[in-house]
Amino acid sequence: MLYSVTNQLLKNQRRLNSKKQLFKSRLRAAEQFSETYLKRKLADKVTPAASLFTRLQLRKALKKKKGHRFTLEEKLLSLSIYKKSPKCYRLLSIIFTLPSKRTLNNILSSVHIGPGVSSVVMHVLKENVQKLKPTERYCSLIFDEISLSSGLHYNASTDEIDGFVNSGHYKSQELADHAMVFMIRGIKMKFKQPVAFSFCQGATQQHELVIQKVHETGLRVVATICDQGKSNEGAIRLLNNETRAYYLKNHNEQDYREEFYEVPLINEE
């Protein structure tokens, strides 16, 4: 008697599980159909970003806060708004359903950009430079330093010890006492973009490499801008000495100007 009752209960449980799985699959299909339908309806009426934002609000409006799940596209759209104006993003988060600040910070922490010239930034720059006119490609290279307290720190996310001299392509066991940041800024067209950073001790000669990498994207660096920091003055002095040595070597000393320095470019037309 007990065996038959148990057997019947197991059959009922399997039947209910089967119905549950069928209901879940039908629900997923309905959600996908609704998403596709909305996307198709909004495609010709609003921009892709507006369409994505509208579908996000319609999908998450009635769900509890802890039940919110966002796609990568939705997180990236929210991140672009947050970076433009954190204060505005806080207001929008009250009115609309948007990822939390912690979620956005988790995305940023997953993107690792180490010292040196960022290959990711160079790739994106190269794609966008193709759309610019020749006169819009002229830019200046701005660099500045910040003094650091020498010391070592274990970075758990990269499993490395930070604090040494590190320019991306060169790393030594000397303790860094300065950080150098490089940024390009358009001359005719308004744009600016950090392209590299490094940890150094005193003056650094990374400027040549940065300028060469920027030129490879199609941009043309015509000037450098910095303050009168000790490391900056040392770097400019090194570049001036190299330029003077180049002119002396090629018997063009009369053309040398102390207020200018030149950087040899690879594959320059």
Side-chain angles (χ1 to χ4, degrees):
M1 180 69 179
L2 183 60
Y3 173 77
S4 61
V5 172
T6 304
N7 198 22
Q8 185 63 36
L9 289 174
L10 289 174
K11 288 182 180 179
N12 291 339
Q13 184 183 9
R14 284 194 293 268
R15 185 167 61 253
L16 290 174
N17 287 336
S18 177
K19 288 183 178 180
K20 180 182 177 182
Q21 294 298 327
L22 179 61
F23 176 76
K24 284 185 175 181
S25 61
R26 291 170 61 188
L27 180 61
R28 282 195 298 269
E31 289 177 345
Q32 290 177 0
F33 174 77
S34 175
E35 183 78 8
T36 305
Y37 178 79
L38 285 173
K39 189 174 182 180
R40 188 170 60 250
K41 282 292 184 181
L42 295 172
D44 299 332
K45 299 179 181 179
V46 296
T47 63
S51 174
L52 180 64
F53 184 83
T54 304
R55 286 184 278 119
L56 167 61
Q57 302 310 309
L58 292 175
R59 192 175 71 252
K60 302 292 184 182
L62 300 179
K63 288 188 177 182
K64 295 182 179 180
K65 190 173 182 179
K66 291 186 177 180
H68 290 163
R69 298 294 182 270
F70 302 95
T71 64
L72 180 60
E73 287 183 342
E74 292 166 350
K75 292 178 183 178
L76 293 177
L77 174 63
S78 302
L79 184 61
S80 64
I81 299 173
Y82 176 76
K83 284 299 180 182
K84 194 69 176 179
S85 175
K87 188 175 181 180
C88 176
Y89 188 81
R90 286 194 294 270
L91 175 61
L92 292 176
S93 298
I94 298 174
I95 304 173
F96 302 105
T97 302
L98 292 171
S100 65
K101 181 181 176 182
R102 182 178 180 181
T103 300
L104 301 182
N105 286 333
N106 288 338
I107 295 179
L108 292 176
S109 62
S110 64
V111 180
H112 174 67
I113 298 180
V117 181
S118 173
S119 58
V120 176
V121 173
M122 291 295 107
H123 177 71
V124 175
L125 271 178
K126 192 170 185 177
E127 289 183 346
N128 286 274
V129 166
Q130 306 304 321
K131 306 172 186 177
L132 301 180
K133 299 177 182 177
T135 55
E136 295 174 339
R137 300 184 182 188
Y138 294 108
C139 65
S140 59
L141 179 68
I142 306 171
F143 56 92
D144 199 6
E145 62 170 359
I146 181 173
S147 180
L148 302 176
S149 297
S150 299
L152 299 179
H153 167 71
Y154 175 69
N155 191 333
S157 61
T158 59
D159 192 27
E160 294 180 350
I161 297 178
D162 296 333
F164 296 110
V165 171
N166 189 353
S167 63
H169 66 284
Y170 170 77
K171 188 173 183 180
S172 72
Q173 294 185 349
E174 296 178 336
L175 294 180
D177 56 12
H178 286 82
M180 184 79 74
V181 180
F182 298 85
M183 181 177 75
I184 57 172
R185 184 167 186 172
I187 293 179
K188 182 178 181 180
M189 186 177 182
K190 291 184 178 180
F191 66 85
K192 56 183 179 180
Q193 174 63 53
V195 293
F197 72 94
S198 65
F199 300 104
C200 57
Q201 189 179 83
T204 177
Q205 287 183 287
Q206 195 181 3
H207 305 70
E208 290 188 13
L209 177 63
V210 174
I211 294 174
Q212 289 172 354
K213 291 296 183 181
V214 171
H215 271 254
E216 288 177 6
T217 66
L219 293 173
R220 292 294 174 261
V221 179
V222 296
T224 55
I225 302 172
C226 67
D227 59 18
Q228 292 182 326
K230 185 177 179 180
S231 296
N232 294 340
E233 288 183 348
I236 296 297
R237 196 178 301 114
L238 288 172
L239 292 168
N240 277 331
N241 290 338
E242 288 184 0
T243 302
R244 185 170 184 275
Y246 173 81
Y247 274 89
L248 288 173
K249 183 179 178 180
N250 291 274
H251 308 291
N252 293 324
E253 187 178 2
Q254 65 278 6
D255 297 329
Y256 171 71
R257 297 291 182 271
E258 188 176 352
E259 60 272 19
F260 296 101
Y261 67 83
E262 299 179 5
V263 175
L265 300 177
I266 302 174
N267 298 327
E268 177 70 3
E269 294 178 359

